């Protein structure tokens, strides 16, 4: 019984420590990230988001890419 309570307490502590909000840009402290939307002088629409994200999906994708090792000698 003590082991069960200790495990449950540890699990809840870890879950609260690593909690974050998952939104469409990545993982951030807030669910709705602040976006700056504006039109420039030529009429083009710009939207800048994700500055308050902890980790973005783009960063996760770049981290998980496997890089092929460079060859150490010539093939011929």
């Amino acid at each position: 019984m003590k082991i069960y309570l200790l495990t449950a307490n540890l699990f809840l502590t870890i879950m609260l420590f690593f909690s974050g909000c998952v939104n469409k840009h990545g993982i951030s402290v807030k669910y709705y990230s602040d976006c700056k939307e504006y039109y420039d002088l030529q009429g083009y629409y710009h939207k800048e988001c994700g500055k308050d994200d902890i980790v973005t999906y783009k960063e996760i994708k770049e981290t998980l890419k496997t890089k092929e090792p460079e060859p150490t000698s010539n093939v011929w």
Side-chain angles (χ1 to χ4, degrees):
M1 186 68 175
K2 285 184 178 182
I3 295 173
Y4 174 73
L5 290 175
L6 181 63
T7 307
N9 242 350
L10 182 64
F11 181 73
L12 286 173
T13 304
I14 289 172
M15 291 302 291
L16 287 174
F17 183 72
F18 289 109
S19 66
C21 296
V22 178
N23 57 20
K24 65 181 179 179
H25 302 288
I27 300 172
S28 68
V29 179
K30 298 182 273 183
Y31 185 73
Y32 294 106
S33 59
D34 295 330
C35 294
K36 182 179 177 185
E37 301 177 12
Y38 61 93
Y39 289 94
D40 61 5
L41 293 175
Q42 295 178 343
Y44 293 111
Y45 175 74
H46 297 276
K47 185 174 182 179
E48 298 174 357
C49 293
K51 292 185 180 180
D52 57 349
D53 291 339
I54 297 170
V55 177
T56 61
Y57 294 127
K58 185 177 180 181
E59 292 173 355
I60 293 172
K61 186 177 178 182
E62 290 175 0
T63 304
L64 295 178
K65 280 185 182 176
T66 56
K67 296 181 180 177
E68 296 181 15
E70 295 182 14
T72 56
S73 63
N74 291 336
V75 177
W76 302 101

